[in-house]
Amino acid sequence: MAATDLERISNAEPEPRSLSLGGHVGFDSLPDQLVSKSVTQGFSFNILCVGETGIGKSTLMNTLFNTTFETEEASHHEESVRLRPQTYDLQESNVHLKLTIVDAVGFGDQINKDDSYRPIVDYIDAQFENYLQEELKIRRSLFDYHDTRIHVCLYFITPTGHSLKSLDLVTMKKLDSKVNIIPIIAKADTISKSELHKFKIKIMGELVSNGVQIYQFPTDDEAVAEINAVMNAHLPFAVVGSTEEVKVGNKLVRARQYPWGVVQVENENHCDFVKLREMLIRVNMEDLREQTHSRHYELYRRCKLEEMGFQDSDGDSQPFSLQETYEAKRKEFLSELQRKEEEMRQMFVNKVKETELELKEKERELHEKFEHLKRIHQEEKRKVEEKRRELEEETNAFNCRKAAMEALQSQALHATSQQPLRKDKDKKKAGGWSSIYSVTIP
Ligand code: GTP
Ligand code: MG
């Protein structure tokens, strides 16, 4: 036998043995203890209402819980869809319910509806993320943590009698893996009975053909299997909401009064309001909470942890070890960090080299420019020198000529000043012969 097989056998848990008790011990009170603990702790339930502005979301919530919640009418001019959560503490008998109603304000009001689903998806994810962060804390306090994860999305369909809008299909498709969707036809009193029947069939056909998964009331619990199976066939519920009370016979009932008659909210022949209330609150509220935790949150958690690098080991012998995965991930992270550091260092060296080369090239260019300018300067200097020499020669020649001229001039002057005297002398000596002088100036 291989060593691993032996290991597996020795690690296998022994089958528990059945023993009979000699008398009453008391652990049969465990369910009661659980009930008592849950009642003390209270419950939370979070409903997301998605539907066009004015479709009747607030009215239906008021009708469902038989109270008046704070509501604010939305305008049709919201730039984008915005989620507005409001939390209330409700009490029925001794059971406390922390109810959060989240309104998708401005849904369907934008000209471009491509991204209408995104704020809704982001909101749902943000609640999952908050819960995951609480779970991952070293000191967690899940016991008194206010769980804001959305347990159900009531999707309000406009009673057109035609078919679903593409906005409805896209939004429901984006939400179906994140939340339990219960589609409802709003303002069902505005559509005739035969049209409503056809509309319901068409909606279900479209949801199936587009692969939209809506919430199915569970049929695995015998106590509610039958009623849930019947109710699944009634989906989507066609509802009417009203908080107005009208006298029918000698009873005051919630209804909508028209000139031609009265639509009673709680009359099953008039609409599916009672069915919705039964399924949502009285029969399946706990299943909706559980599905949210075990299916939708689990999927979110798995994807998130896988994204962070955690994975279950594939071999059947090795169980998942958080510490080992963490160590492996840490090593991977450190080597990645080192690689990045080395890459950055190399990049820096290359950059420095590049800059050095660029600088050298610039220096060479400058040097060449300097040499060129120097040559030009020398040439200019030589020319100036030549000119100066020429000028000097010219000046010298001029000075020579000037000197000669001056000499001649003085000679001539001298000669002319001597002439009358000699004439007198000659006249006296020779009896008056004259001499002729010619002066040539070079
Ligand atoms: P916003 O929050 O502003 O988006 O509106 P809403 O979806 O909450 O609608 P609201 O409940 O404020 O109802 C809008 C109008 O529709 C009101 O005049 C209601 O009386 C009316 N209304 C609500 N429910 C029904 C219904 O079932 N049938 C009919 N015919 N009218 C309804
Ligand atoms: Mg409203």
Side-chain angles (χ1 to χ4, degrees), residues 49 51-63 71-76 84 103-107 109 156 159 185-190 239-244 256 258 263 265 271:
C49 295
E52 289 173 10
T53 301
I55 193 79
K57 302 181 287 290
S58 305
T59 310
L60 189 77
M61 285 300 111
N62 289 343
T63 321
T71 49
E72 215 176 87
E73 237 177 65
S75 80
H76 285 276
R84 187 180 59 201
D103 240 329
V105 181
F107 184 77
D109 281 336
F156 290 69
I185 300 169
K187 298 190 179 180
D189 53 327
T190 60
V239 295
V240 174
S242 174
T243 45
E244 196 186 320
R256 299 191 76 83
Y258 293 105
V263 181
V265 169
C271 72

Side-chain angles (χ1 to χ4, degrees), residues 385-396:
E385 195 59 34
E386 216 164 82
K387 273 253 158 38
R388 195 180 62 78
R389 221 177 35 250
E390 275 173 22
L391 266 173
E392 236 173 50
E393 276 169 13
E394 266 173 37
T395 317
N396 285 345

Side-chain angles (χ1 to χ4, degrees), residues 315-330:
D316 42 12
S317 57
Q318 288 290 308
F320 165 74
S321 156
L322 190 70
Q323 181 157 359
E324 274 172 27
T325 315
Y326 169 74
E327 287 295 338
K329 204 71 210 158
R330 191 164 173 273

